């Protein structure tokens, strides 16, 4: 399946997977929300895999089955999402400036004909050596810098591999605007093994949607927050539960609290000893590999001293300038020994 590209100097888009455009990019929001309920998109997959701290598999299941979910009342998250949408054109332009590759408008909502529940909406499309690829645009706070320095975070990798699964394309790029000041670009190749796993996970999940089987409650914060919202207004004083179900869970909770306390002590002990070994070095290598690093970062206050000097020429700027806040963060590179 192919459609005409929005750029006159780019080849037409071809989808080796047999995907088709089922909704135009400028479609009405109601139509967009309606079609999202007919399948699983790229943003659904990290949540289904337990990689989204804000959305759980249970919440995705509620949405896809048309059940009412109380809205998350979080003004900060809402504004962050709105800002991310508004900044997309800017991040796309930074991607092009850094790579020299185009960032073309997406073709609309795509659906695989052989797997009708496999949907995707791309942020942008690029061409590299005449071949099309996906472009995923992100905006993140400065606290996420370490997560993006070396590679694409796992949840975004899952999202991009799903995009490649639906389009049939062989590569993609991510461009993340960090703290509004730094754009980090990574390239990602198609991973057939991961795509096979994602299709299996998504297929099982969509089966639950179709037959009304609710996913099991998991241990994620997102599931806990969903349950808090669903049951925010209790109207019953008590309920009689099965003791054989409740008692093991109470024991599990008590044991977990003990293990957490012991684990925190063991974690701090190991990290402190690793820091002592590193000393003034940034990286520690063993057997020819980088085992861990302890880089130094700095944060400076956001004061416009030039404007301050213009408005208040007699002020002592040095008393306001201060020293930047510096910190070191331990990053493990050999996790599985």
């Amino acid at each position: 399946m192919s459609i005409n590209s929005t750029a006159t100097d780019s080849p037409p888009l071809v989808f080796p997977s047999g995907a088709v455009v089922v909704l135009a990019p400028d479609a009405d929001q109601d139509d967009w929300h309606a079609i999202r309920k007919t399948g699983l998109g790229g943003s659904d997959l990290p949540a289904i895999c337990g990689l989204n701290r804000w959305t759980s598999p249970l919440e995705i299941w509620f949405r896809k089955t048309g059940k009412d979910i109380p809205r998350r009342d979080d003004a900060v998250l809402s504004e962050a999402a709105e800002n991310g949408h508004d900044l997309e054109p800017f991040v796309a332009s930074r991607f092009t400036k850094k790579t020299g590759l185009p960032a073309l408008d997406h073709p609309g909502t795509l659906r695989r004909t052989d797997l009708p529940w496999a949907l995707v909406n791309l942020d942008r499309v690029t061409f590299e050596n005449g071949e099309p690829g996906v472009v995923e645009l992100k905006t993140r706070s400065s606290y996420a810098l370490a997560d993006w320095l070396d590679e694409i975070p796992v949840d975004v990798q899952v999202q991009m591999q799903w995009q490649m699964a639906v389009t049939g394309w062989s590569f993609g790029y991510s461009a993340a605007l960090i703290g509004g000041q730094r754009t980090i670009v990574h390239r990602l190749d198609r991973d057939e093994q991961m795509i096979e796993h994602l299709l299996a996970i998504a297929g099982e999940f969509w089966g639950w949607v179709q037959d009304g089987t609710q996913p099991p409650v998991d241990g994620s914060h997102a599931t806990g927050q969903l349950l808090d919202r669903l049951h925010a207004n209790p109207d019953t004083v008590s309920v009689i539960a099965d003791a054989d179900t409740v008692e093991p869970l109470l024991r599990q909770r008590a044991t977990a609290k003990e293990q957490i306390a012991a684990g925190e002590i063991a974690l701090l002990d190991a990290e402190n000893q690793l820091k002592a070994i590193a000393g003034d070095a940034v990286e520690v290598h063993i057997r020819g590999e980088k085992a861990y690093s302890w880089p130094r970062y700095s944060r400076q206050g956001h004061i416009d001293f030039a404007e301050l000097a213009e408005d208040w020429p007699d002020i002592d700027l040095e008393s306001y300038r201060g020293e930047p806040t510096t910190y070191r963060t331990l990053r493990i590179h050999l996790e599985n020994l």
Side-chain angles (χ1 to χ4, degrees), residues 125-151:
V125 174
T126 193
F127 278 88
E128 185 178 72
N129 299 321
E131 295 295 323
V134 303
V135 179
E136 182 63 25
L137 307 174
K138 298 294 185 186
T139 55
R140 295 290 187 264
S141 76
S142 57
Y143 296 106
L145 175 62
D147 298 333
W148 285 87
L149 283 175
D150 297 328
E151 62 179 359

Side-chain angles (χ1 to χ4, degrees), residues 2-14 104-105 107 125 127:
S2 67
I3 64 173
N4 290 329
S5 169
T6 55
T8 57
D9 58 345
S10 297
L13 294 181
V14 177
L104 309 176
D105 291 340
V125 174
F127 278 88

Side-chain angles (χ1 to χ4, degrees), residues 146 150-151 267 270-272 274-275 282 284 286 290-295 329-337:
D150 297 328
E151 62 179 359
L267 176 65
E271 290 189 344
N272 287 342
L274 290 171
K275 290 177 181 178
V282 173
V284 174
I286 59 173
K290 181 165 62 174
Y292 64 96
S293 58
W294 193 21
T329 301
L330 198 67
R331 304 179 65 214
I332 308 301
H333 299 276
L334 289 180
E335 292 282 2
N336 301 315
L337 297 178

